[in-house]
Amino acid sequence: MAVSIKSAREIELMREAGKRLAHVHEELGRAVAPGISTWEIDALGEKLIRDCGCVPNFLHYNGYPASICVSVNEEVVHGIPRKDRILKEGDIVSLDAGLIYRGYHSDAARTHAVGRISEEAQKLIGVTRQSFFEGIKMAREGNYLHDISNAIDAYVSGFGYGIVRDLVGHGIGTALHEDPQIPNFAQKRRGVRLQAGMTLAVEPMVNAGTWKVRWLQDGWTVVTRDRSLSAHYENTILVTDGEPEILTLYEGEGL
């Protein structure tokens, strides 16, 4: 496994890629409302990405047909936007987006409420988001990769939720997916030792029911096996010699 260590110049490019993606997510979050189609969300996302001088890295990636993965309710990830898929009050929607800035990738995901949602759905979104922050407490030089995985699992498991095992986080840089793979569930092995200059996409995907998932016939959309709700939260982070730096948080989003 070859995990790339970014130079000072590369880190600055990764910071800018992250900053621009954070802006895209901020605007997409504002657009989520009952009555909007998942196709309209994708169209807006692509426009925002191109307007900031970047390229959507998901578009045509391994054949994926859109710029934003828009996944509703029991859809975990990789939902394909459609003109006839209209968001309605009470839904939750996960938006996974990425872009390329001067050859460097950023990747982030958020799950949003569509209007007023149930307490159960709001709790799932909150736990999933917080599990990311619990995990990256361990993303420090000298710790091990799976310290992140174990911290996410320890937090989520206390709520009785299922952590998706078929999909994991990843390294990121000049490619969207680089080494290492980053599981969101507990591991027996320690994984690689973390070093300053590593850039990672940490992305817990948490289901209200079982951790098990299946792929729909479109070959992309992943759904929960038991049709329970699923939430997704992801940021691109930089490992430093101190606290990790989150590259894809927008101003005012908070920790």
Side-chain angles (χ1 to χ4, degrees):
M1 179 186 299
V3 182
S4 67
I5 306 299
K6 308 303 189 293
S7 67
R9 174 185 171 276
E10 289 179 306
I11 288 169
E12 285 307 310
L13 291 169
M14 292 287 294
R15 283 192 178 111
E16 189 59 34
K19 179 180 178 181
R20 294 179 186 220
L21 182 57
H23 168 72
V24 171
H25 266 292
E26 183 177 17
E27 295 302 315
L28 287 177
R30 290 174 176 167
V32 169
I36 193 172
S37 72
T38 58
W39 183 90
E40 288 174 300
I41 292 172
D42 175 62
L44 174 61
E46 180 170 352
K47 183 179 187 302
L48 288 165
I49 289 169
R50 295 192 186 279
D51 283 353
C52 71
C54 299
V55 176
N57 52 11
F58 292 180
L59 185 61
H60 306 312
Y61 183 78
N62 291 334
Y64 185 73
S67 298
I68 312 296
C69 297
V70 188
S71 307
V72 185
N73 294 334
E74 76 279 1
E75 296 172 354
V76 178
V77 73
H78 303 159
I80 297 175
R82 305 195 323 249
K83 289 183 178 180
D84 64 349
R85 186 65 188 273
I86 309 299
L87 298 184
K88 63 182 186 299
E89 187 90 14
D91 285 340
I92 64 173
V93 59
S94 297
L95 307 180
D96 191 0
L99 56 77
I100 306 169
Y101 172 75
R102 296 189 180 180
Y104 286 81
H105 293 252
S106 57
D107 189 6
R110 303 287 187 270
T111 300
H112 299 280
V114 182
R116 297 182 64 181
I117 62 174
S118 68
E119 289 184 10
E120 174 193 2
Q122 194 65 63
K123 179 180 177 182
L124 177 66
I125 293 172
V127 168
T128 303
R129 182 182 189 277
Q130 186 59 36
S131 72
F132 164 86
F133 290 100
E134 296 298 320
I136 67 161
K137 288 177 182 178
M138 307 306 296
R140 302 175 67 100
E141 185 172 49
N143 285 349
Y144 290 87
L145 181 71
H146 294 161
D147 293 337
I148 299 172
S149 310
N150 295 342
I152 291 171
D153 189 296
Y155 182 76
V156 172
S157 295
F159 295 90
Y161 293 145
I163 305 169
V164 174
R165 300 183 183 182
D166 299 73
L167 300 151
V168 298
H170 51 91
I172 186 169
T174 55
L176 175 57
H177 293 108
E178 297 183 349
D179 285 336
Q181 292 193 347
I182 310 167
N184 299 302
F185 53 98
Q187 301 291 301
K188 292 182 179 179
R189 296 185 177 181
R190 303 175 84 176
V192 299
R193 187 184 286 272
L194 298 176
Q195 299 178 53
M198 289 181 175
T199 46
L200 309 173
V202 178
E203 53 175 323
M205 288 158 270
V206 180
N207 302 338
T210 178
W211 61 267
K212 296 179 180 179
V213 300
R214 65 184 182 89
W215 273 252
L216 298 186
Q217 289 185 346
D218 63 22
W220 282 103
T221 309
V222 181
V223 300
T224 56
R225 185 76 63 87
D226 60 3
R227 311 299 285 186
S228 63
L229 294 176
S230 185
H232 185 194
Y233 189 84
E234 174 187 19
N235 281 300
T236 299
I237 70 165
L238 169 68
V239 178
T240 74
D241 57 4
E243 295 292 325
E245 183 178 341
I246 305 173
L247 304 181
T248 47
L249 279 183
Y250 55 81
E251 186 176 354
E253 187 176 5
L255 301 184

